[in-house]
Amino acid sequence: MAAIAILGRVVYMYRPTINEVKNAEELVVGTEIRQKFVADAWQCSREALADMFGFGVREVDAALVLLDKELGVVKRERRTVVINGVRCSNVLYLCLNVSKLKEISTPITSERNSSPAGTEELPRPDGRAAAPKRKTNTKISQQSSPRSSSRSTPPAAVSSPAVPPPKNQTLSFEIEAAIQALPIEHQANARQICEVEEAADQVKLDAINLFKKRLAQGKAKDCGWLREAVKGDWGAKERVKEEQKAERQEQAEAAKRAEAERQNQEREADRRELLARQKRFYDLPEPTQRELEYLALRWSAERNRPDPDRHSLISLALDIYDGIIPP
């Protein structure tokens, strides 16, 4: 049973996808043939096949040995590949032998069954010729008793139903990017699960992000956890939490930006006011400026204050000039 399921999946993966090519007017102008995998052979691990069909790894190994060594329809290859700068050895690739597949798929008809039924007369057990057929008035019923039917009709061979290959789905760019962010040893299995499982893209994306977090926390070990997360939509609650957290952070950042803008406006208003006061001071006659500076310095000295800087001195002089501060 495992060999039938795996062979069906391999044949499905090597069958190309035919897409319609449409023009701007949504009219079909041709077809496009695409391969379901990037390399020259299909890469799939034993664990991914076991998770896909619910078999054990030993059952998958036995089925692959049967398909490779005994039937020769699926050839196993171990390759060393470089993925994202990481060298990975003993990566399993499955190659389909099309000629062997045709041989085991074509029914073989024997020479005895090639002649029409009833044209040959079998000899009698005692060696004499068979008696000629004679007409009788006996009407033969079309129905036969259970005993006679069981003796005359051989039992039909029971054949195992073929397991249809799971539907392969094209993954979106966001899901591919999330899979690439996983550790290298989990990427192939995660991609296989996302191609097989029937779920929305957002559900798969949430499950992958949650799986990555649980791997870092040590709460998940293999992609079986990811499969259950996709089926149960475990990542939805985590996504809602992340969205709420991001919203709170955005609100805090917006409050900080508003406060910074307010302070900038206040500083700009103070600067403009200072420039206006300085212009007003320098518009006064020069003797008046000297007298006001003298009064401002004396006012500060009488109150034991340190000598003011130029801006403070001008502001104090204008306050004395306006009568706000008595000289």
Side-chain angles (χ1 to χ4, degrees), residues 170-180 201 205:
T170 303
L171 302 182
S172 64
F173 174 78
E174 292 79 7
I175 295 179
E176 283 288 352
I179 292 175
Q180 292 293 331
D201 286 353
L205 190 60

Side-chain angles (χ1 to χ4, degrees), residues 239-258:
R239 174 172 55 84
V240 172
K241 290 182 180 178
E242 293 294 333
E243 290 177 353
Q244 292 176 351
K245 182 180 178 181
E247 185 178 357
R248 290 193 297 268
Q249 290 179 351
E250 180 62 26
Q251 291 175 355
E253 293 294 333
K256 289 181 180 179
R257 290 194 296 268

Side-chain angles (χ1 to χ4, degrees), residues 83-84 174-184 187 191 208:
I83 303 176
N84 295 335
E174 292 79 7
I175 295 179
E176 283 288 352
I179 292 175
Q180 292 293 331
L182 293 174
I184 187 65
Q187 291 182 9
R191 185 176 292 104
I208 293 173

Side-chain angles (χ1 to χ4, degrees), residues 184-224:
I184 187 65
E185 63 271 14
H186 297 294
Q187 291 182 9
N189 294 342
R191 185 176 292 104
Q192 197 72 36
I193 290 173
C194 292
E195 289 176 351
V196 173
E197 291 297 331
E198 293 285 349
D201 286 353
Q202 186 62 51
V203 174
K204 296 177 182 178
L205 190 60
D206 295 340
I208 293 173
N209 293 333
L210 183 60
F211 179 55
K212 179 182 177 182
K213 185 180 293 185
R214 293 295 181 265
L215 283 175
Q217 296 172 352
K219 297 182 180 179
K221 296 182 179 179
D222 52 25
C223 285

Side-chain angles (χ1 to χ4, degrees), residues 12-13 15 150 195 234 274 287 295:
Y12 171 76
M13 291 301 300
R15 184 180 296 117
S150 63
E195 289 176 351
W234 294 353
L274 179 61
L295 294 175

